Amino acid sequence: MSDFNSGFSSGFKLGLVGVGKIVRDQHLPAIAATPNCHLVATADPHASLPELPAYQNLEAMLDAHPEITAVSICTPTHLRYSQARAALMRGKHVLLEKPPGATLSEVEDLIACAKEQGVSLFAAWHSRFAPGVAQAQQWLAERQMQRVEIEWKEDVRVWHPGQAWIWQPGGMGVFDPGINALSIATAILPQPFFLQQARLLVPSNAQTPIAADLTFTDPQGASIEAAFDFRQSGPPTWDMHIHSDGSRLSLTQGGCRLVIDDELIIEEEEREYQGLYARFAELIANKRSEVDVAPLRQVADAFLYGHREPTEAFIE
Ligand code: NAP
């Protein structure tokens, strides 16, 4: 069972597993802004952070610091399951970076394991914490949508420099960012939606797509089109437009900007990871888990049902 026995009063002591781009860009500032979260140590075979105890793997970190009550797993996705399971089995609360696993089955096992151990497991879909998402969800809740257009395009060389794992099985290729769009869509669209067809463009030297065009529908026959592309140059496009009963909702800039019928409703800086850590603290304090596999299931469906087309090799 967990050795964590208090809520917000004493906070939680955190270990970080994997010290890469997302930890430096997002986790560290968010942890610093979370009053109840105390960063104790890191585990990464090569990387470390100044003035913080560093270990080469999760087990060594937990052996040296039994006071750690929670870990954030921020390694490449194919490592997520074994590390998360090891932490759960030692009674630690676990935050899983997105995607929560390389397969659906392993995430299901983690859910069962967290329940058995009586600790909190949090599948952290950071894009759901973007400023416009909650209001978009509210606006759509009572509506029938007819058409959705999603464009999620970014330059892989800018956003994933040198990350060879992204082209390997489990790395998900363009679905690594595309799953963020799907995490928003599965949260705000009022009906479940299902893949009808997918075209996956796979570089000749990779196992995962560099671009994907997806067509979904819902039980009422709405049309949901998504275009994901890693070959964007210049600024990213992280936009979705939803047509509903003669109105149009646009959630753009990754969810930072919300416009409904040409009226600007929200335009704010993103602070997604502060929201994530606040939710993690809340889940721990309330002895709850939150693991929604819906975005990962959509990706699994695309890999299950999509047409693969070879395209030119990706050279970084
Ligand atoms: P990254 O820069 O490649 O960082 C991953 C880190 O984990 C690297 O330092 C890596 O070391 C280390 N690592 C590898 N094996 C390890 C092990 N066995 N134990 C501990 N650490 C290990 O990747 P990232 O961009 O931070 O992404 C990590 C995860 O966060 C991915 O699942 C990604 O989908 C997710 N994410 C990324 C972003 C983004 O914008 N980059 C945004 C949101 C979520 P080596 O480099 O030496 O192998």
Side-chain angles (χ1 to χ4, degrees):
M1 293 292 285
S2 167
D3 51 3
F4 182 84
N5 55 14
S6 56
F8 282 100
S9 50
S10 64
F12 61 101
K13 294 190 164 52
L14 184 76
L16 279 174
V17 187
V19 184
K21 186 171 188 313
I22 197 59
V23 159
R24 293 173 199 278
D25 291 356
Q26 296 283 0
H27 286 255
L28 294 179
I31 291 165
T34 306
N36 306 303
C37 177
H38 310 286
L39 181 56
V40 172
T42 61
D44 188 298
H46 304 112
S48 59
L49 295 170
E51 293 169 31
L52 208 64
Y55 301 87
Q56 292 205 335
N57 58 59
L58 166 83
E59 287 74 13
M61 178 179 78
L62 295 183
D63 285 346
H65 294 277
E67 75 275 23
I68 289 177
T69 50
V71 296
S72 293
I73 312 278
C74 309
T75 45
T77 314
H78 67 281
L79 300 168
R80 196 82 85 245
Y81 171 75
S82 54
Q83 293 174 330
R85 193 167 210 287
L88 291 170
M89 292 311 288
R90 292 178 67 149
K92 310 300 177 187
H93 307 291
V94 172
L95 179 154
L96 301 167
E97 245 303 352
K98 55 103 299 210
T103 69
L104 285 162
S105 306
E106 60 187 34
V107 182
E108 296 299 340
D109 186 57
L110 293 180
I111 294 170
C113 189
K115 197 170 171 196
E116 210 177 279
Q117 292 293 105
V119 292
S120 298
L121 179 66
F122 179 33
W125 298 112
H126 64 86
S127 292
R128 289 183 175 176
F129 291 82
V133 170
Q135 210 159 321
Q137 182 182 36
Q138 244 172 28
W139 187 82
L140 281 159
E142 302 299 321
R143 290 176 168 260
Q144 178 67 52
M145 52 165 190
Q146 284 80 42
R147 190 156 54 87
V148 180
E149 295 136 16
I150 300 172
E151 248 191 308
W152 224 258
K153 299 177 177 175
E154 64 186 42
D155 184 342
V156 66
R157 293 179 175 87
V158 171
W159 293 92
H160 302 278
Q163 294 179 354
W165 56 265
I166 217 158
W167 304 111
Q168 296 306 311
M172 295 187 190
V174 76
F175 285 95
D176 183 78
I179 203 169
N180 297 333
L182 293 168
S183 76
I184 295 177
T186 49
I188 67 174
L189 296 182
Q191 299 278 345
F193 55 94
F194 317 103
L195 189 73
Q196 287 188 301
Q197 58 181 47
R199 176 172 166 261
L200 313 178
L201 285 183
V202 183
S204 58
N205 59 346
Q207 294 293 320
T208 57
I210 195 163
D213 293 313
L214 308 145
T215 303
F216 305 88
T217 192
D218 75 357
Q220 271 70 43
S223 147
I224 301 154
E225 303 278 345
F228 300 157
D229 209 321
F230 254 162
R231 299 165 300 178
Q232 175 103 324
S233 55
T237 305
W238 295 322
D239 297 348
M240 60 181 73
H241 305 283
I242 300 166
H243 303 261
S244 165
D245 305 331
S247 286
R248 175 179 141 124
L249 176 149
S250 291
L251 196 54
T252 57
Q253 299 171 11
C256 288
R257 193 166 196 273
L258 176 67
V259 173
I260 300 177
D261 292 332
D262 298 326
E263 188 191 342
L264 180 62
I265 309 289
I266 290 176
E267 186 164 34
E268 282 176 22
E269 257 179 56
E270 72 90 359
R271 277 193 295 272
E272 295 170 8
Y273 278 75
Q274 281 188 41
L276 273 191
Y277 273 94
R279 177 69 61 86
F280 191 35
E282 193 184 312
L283 289 170
I284 292 172
N286 293 317
K287 300 182 170 26
R288 287 184 46 237
S289 287
E290 184 178 299
V291 186
D292 180 10
V293 296
L296 183 61
R297 189 186 297 119
Q298 294 288 3
V299 174
D301 283 357
F303 278 90
L304 192 64
Y305 200 48
H307 288 256
R308 281 163 184 74
E309 288 179 24
T311 188
E312 63 189 58
F314 175 77
I315 312 292
E316 180 137 10

